[in-house]
Amino acid sequence: RKNDNSNIFYAYISREGISMQLKPIGYIKSPIKQPKFGGWQDLITEIVVDTDYSDGLEGIDEYSHLIILYWLDKVDKVKLKMRPQGKKDVPEVGIFACRCPWRPNPIGMTTVKLIERIGNTLKVKGLDVVDGTPLIDIKPYTPPYDTVKGMRYPEWINKLEY
């Protein structure tokens, strides 16, 4: 899904000839080089924001948590149904009923703890991506928008590794 300029990713929507262009605003530096299941909660990684966007980080230090959006560039196929993490004791579900990466638009999202900002680099805890993953966006975790009261989820979620 990359074009000749490896910094730009294109996603095309066939309805009415609409196209979208996503341009990474940075990348992730992680000690994890290959995809895996679990073990992410205590992992410390760095988000390196391109210097063109450094001014956009102003004020981010006031937040304890951030929502990170990224492009799952290692995904090479789409699976509409699957068994999350390949676990036999978890039911097969549709891709939109799980957080698996093999999506029609491989956009990932994780809420992380912000440890510190040094210039255009954010050190965070709990980001579940491999080294070099393209960064799409950063949003502050804002309770009036992001906290959900009375939520429900299937019991099998508790069987997954995080």
Side-chain angles (χ1 to χ4, degrees):
R1 300 197 192 162
K2 293 181 182 181
N3 74 348
D4 294 333
N5 177 348
S6 63
N7 292 327
I8 298 176
F9 294 81
Y10 288 99
Y12 293 100
I13 299 175
S14 61
R15 290 192 178 104
E16 301 166 18
I18 297 171
S19 67
M20 297 184 303
Q21 177 178 318
L22 294 175
K23 182 177 181 186
I25 62 167
Y27 65 96
I28 312 304
K29 286 176 66 175
S30 171
I32 307 299
K33 308 298 183 203
Q34 296 296 321
K36 67 177 190 139
F37 296 125
W40 300 99
Q41 289 182 335
D42 294 323
L43 184 68
I44 306 299
T45 56
E46 291 183 346
I47 298 170
V48 181
V49 177
D50 290 345
T51 54
D52 291 348
Y53 303 108
S54 291
D55 286 349
L57 295 172
E58 188 66 34
I60 205 162
D61 313 76
E62 295 183 43
Y63 293 91
S64 66
H65 289 77
L66 305 172
I67 299 169
I68 308 303
L69 296 162
Y70 44 91
W71 189 261
L72 298 163
D73 63 331
K74 305 285 188 268
V75 171
D76 59 356
K77 60 187 160 200
V78 173
K79 295 181 184 179
L80 294 180
K81 290 186 79 178
M82 60 179 322
R83 197 171 303 278
Q85 296 184 356
K87 291 187 173 277
K88 292 182 178 11
D89 59 343
V90 169
E92 183 177 68
V93 296
I95 192 66
F96 304 124
C98 65
R99 300 281 298 255
C100 300
W102 300 280
R103 319 181 78 70
N105 290 311
I107 297 171
M109 178 185 85
T110 305
T111 300
V112 300
K113 179 180 173 86
L114 176 61
I115 297 171
E116 69 177 331
R117 172 189 171 197
I118 301 172
N120 66 324
T121 301
L122 305 173
K123 188 181 282 191
V124 299
K125 182 178 178 182
L127 185 54
D128 57 341
V129 299
V130 298
D131 189 52
T133 298
L135 175 66
I136 295 176
D137 201 2
I138 302 168
K139 298 180 183 299
Y141 181 89
T142 309
Y145 288 122
D146 302 313
T147 300
V148 177
K149 294 182 178 151
M151 66 176 213
R152 64 183 169 85
Y153 56 90
E155 181 62 34
W156 60 262
I157 290 291
N158 296 321
K159 296 179 181 179
L160 302 179
E161 298 173 46
Y162 296 99

